[in-house]
Amino acid sequence: MLEQFRIIVVDDDQPHLEALCSQLQEAGFDVNGFSDSTVALEQLTSQRFDVLFIRLQLTGVDGIELVQRAQQLDPDLSTVLITDQGSIKTAIDALKFGVLDYVLMPLKLSELMQVTNRAIQMRKLRLENTQLIRDLSNSNLRLREMNHELDHFAGRVAHDLNSLCHIIQGFAGSLTRRAYNKLDEQEQRYLLRINEASARGSQLVSDLLAFARLGSGELQFNQVVLNEVVEKARALVELKEGLRKADWSIAILPDIDGDESLLELVFVNLFSNALKFSQIRELPTIVVEANVLDDVVEIKVIDNGAGFDPERAEGLFKPFHRLHNPHDFEGHGMGLANVKRIVERHGGYIKATSAPDKGAVFTLTLPIRGATPPNR
Ligand SMILES: Nc1ncnc2c1ncn2[C@@H]1O[C@H](COP(=O)(O)OP(=O)(O)O)[C@@H](O)[C@H]1O
Ligand SMILES: [Mg+2]
């Protein structure tokens, strides 16, 4: 094991250099000695060494500078200074520059062996450490690539499914317009089910598509007038939900930096949930509150609906996670997953609090002045 470690010694005191080299050789190390620092540096550039022994007071050369050059060439190199009593302070100071240790002249064999073994142990550790960091960053890179591939794949599938849903929706729509009145009641119900299912399929697919894009796509940051976005989201949700009504109260919100269409998607999702889960009330209410704290805004979307059991809410923001029975409240569980991704990509976070039958509060915290959009 030991012989694979290579030692380079730089000392312009020829007899001393020879003595040190032969001591190390006798101890079984592969040793190369140089009295000329320029030649030594050439060797360090062209070959791999594990330990450098270097005389601090080389004539005409700054030993420390040479050490730094050597360490630039190989940051994992173990360096040991050879010094005399007179320069001990300089040697100690040199430890700051990454020098591992020093040996005092005249050299004692036992001390030399101890220092050499320690230098080799340190070299081994440093090499292992560097390898670990390299492995870690390689697997990080691979993971990122795989994530991108997965998002790309999901996007591809969602895109194709979207086209299929549109075809079904299109033909079901034509059939409804042209033949609805010719159909008996049962057939009309079938047609209605096809219409509903294809609309739901199309919504699911577009949510999946958004989710995949949010994983890797770029965000378009601009100044966003949040109150306009919120009003637009409310109008969209009311239009889509048609028969569902609520008493709305929306506070004044600050303008923030963000991706307008994605922020709109956040509120569309939160409002459509609030509207859906509050329909069990005689008077459904939806309240939007805002609180500006230094450089962030905290926005609460509060409803008086069915609420949920916080004990079961752990995966609330994960894809397809639903806390209610689909027979009571329809949906596919992608809305909050998208909301979370969007909020986090704006450098914010979201949490939800509730109790069964006590309504729900979704609190988003968003930076007001977003720095550069965090693209992945
Ligand atoms: N305002 C709310 N009140 C009560 N439960 C909610 C509310 N918003 C979301 N949830 C719970 O979180 C689940 C996930 O929400 P979401 O991802 O929007 O999916 P979906 O609306 O399609 O069910 C819902 O199914 C519901 O169980
Ligand atoms: Mg939803």
Side-chain angles (χ1 to χ4, degrees):
M1 192 69 181
L2 226 49
E3 54 272 23
Q4 74 194 61
F5 287 97
R6 306 189 64 217
I7 299 179
I8 178 166
V9 183
V10 189
D11 190 340
D12 54 5
D13 176 340
Q14 192 68 33
H16 192 265
L17 173 71
E18 280 167 18
L20 178 53
C21 287
S22 67
Q23 274 177 325
L24 290 168
Q25 259 154 4
E26 273 167 34
F29 294 108
D30 174 355
V31 189
N32 289 262
F34 300 94
S35 53
D36 183 329
S37 58
T38 318
V39 180
L41 200 60
E42 276 169 20
Q43 293 298 310
L44 279 161
T45 314
S46 59
Q47 296 186 40
R48 195 195 73 122
F49 291 98
D50 300 297
V51 180
L52 164 68
F53 275 92
I54 180 165
R55 169 78 80 124
L56 183 56
Q57 308 82 11
L58 291 167
T59 28
V61 188
D62 181 352
I64 299 298
E65 197 186 313
L66 196 69
V67 166
Q68 286 178 323
R69 297 272 299 274
Q71 282 174 348
Q72 270 166 11
L73 289 168
D74 180 356
D76 295 330
L77 186 70
S78 280
T79 307
V80 179
L81 294 177
I82 308 162
T83 184
D84 51 28
Q85 276 292 350
S87 305
I88 236 179
K89 189 178 169 318
T90 324
I92 292 173
D93 283 349
L95 300 186
K96 284 203 284 278
F97 301 107
V99 169
L100 182 70
D101 214 339
Y102 60 90
V103 281
L104 273 181
M105 291 186 306
L107 291 175
K108 284 202 207 84
L109 187 62
S110 62
E111 193 190 338
L112 177 67
M113 284 307 115
Q114 253 182 20
V115 170
T116 311
N117 286 331
R118 214 166 78 75
I120 282 175
Q121 287 309 321
M122 185 53 84
R123 167 71 170 174
K124 272 198 214 167
L125 283 177
R126 283 179 176 165
L127 287 178
E128 278 167 20
N129 203 25
T130 304
Q131 189 55 42
L132 277 178
I133 291 171
R134 202 173 297 136
D135 290 352
L136 207 66
S137 77
N138 278 346
S139 35
N140 253 347
L141 199 72
R142 185 72 199 115
L143 266 177
R144 270 163 175 272
E145 277 171 11
M146 278 162 68
N147 246 342
H148 274 239
E149 278 167 25
L150 211 62
D151 280 340
H152 181 75
F153 172 75
R156 197 53 242 221
V157 173
H159 184 267
D160 290 356
L161 285 175
N162 207 14
S163 314
L164 291 178
C165 287
H166 273 131
I167 294 172
I168 299 172
Q169 261 183 310
F171 282 112
S174 306
L175 198 59
T176 310
R177 280 189 300 279
R178 294 173 64 155
Y180 193 76
N181 293 330
K182 292 186 221 153
L183 302 177
D184 68 26
E185 257 182 48
Q186 180 76 323
E187 290 162 344
Q188 287 178 347
R189 269 201 300 277
Y190 289 159
L191 195 54
L192 223 59
R193 295 282 289 276
I194 296 176
N195 273 318
E196 279 170 11
S198 60
R200 282 220 309 276
S202 170
Q203 181 62 49
L204 168 61
V205 161
S206 91
D207 284 348
L208 280 173
L209 206 57
F211 191 72
R213 283 192 186 132
L214 280 167
S216 54
E218 301 228 329
L219 272 66
Q220 297 296 325
F221 263 45
N222 282 306
Q223 199 181 30
V224 177
V225 182
L226 265 188
N227 271 105
E228 281 178 11
V229 169
V230 163
E231 280 306 331
K232 199 164 157 207
R234 170 190 162 171
L236 277 172
V237 168
E238 284 192 316
L239 186 74
K240 203 163 121 221
E241 302 294 345
L243 296 173
R244 288 177 175 157
K245 295 282 173 250
D247 187 13
W248 292 78
S249 154
I250 296 173
I252 294 181
L253 305 161
D255 298 352
I256 67 168
D257 289 345
D259 185 311
E260 184 166 330
S261 60
L262 293 181
L263 289 171
E264 184 183 305
L265 197 59
V266 166
F267 290 104
V268 164
N269 276 299
L270 293 179
F271 291 167
S272 86
N273 285 345
L275 203 58
K276 172 165 64 181
F277 290 99
S278 60
Q279 291 307 300
I280 54 163
R281 304 290 177 226
E282 207 166 298
L283 192 62
T285 60
I286 299 172
V287 178
V288 179
E289 285 179 359
N291 202 357
V292 175
L293 312 155
D294 294 332
D295 47 1
V296 297
V297 56
E298 194 184 77
I299 303 169
K300 288 187 198 298
V301 178
I302 306 163
D303 67 66
N304 66 341
F308 56 82
D309 180 359
E311 302 264 304
R312 296 181 48 230
E314 204 190 313
L316 192 64
F317 294 97
K318 295 208 174 112
F320 303 115
H321 204 87
R322 308 194 67 233
L323 304 175
H324 295 84
N325 189 325
H327 295 297
D328 299 333
F329 301 97
E330 90 290 351
H332 47 247
M334 278 305 295
L336 289 182
N338 274 334
V339 167
K340 183 169 191 280
R341 269 201 174 182
I342 296 171
V343 169
E344 286 180 352
R345 290 211 58 194
H346 278 75
Y349 51 90
I350 181 160
K351 61 176 185 171
T353 46
S354 182
D357 207 35
K358 292 276 185 286
V361 181
F362 284 81
T363 309
L364 3 154
T365 307
L366 289 166
I368 293 178
R369 293 284 151 262
T372 16
N375 291 321
R376 291 177 184 169

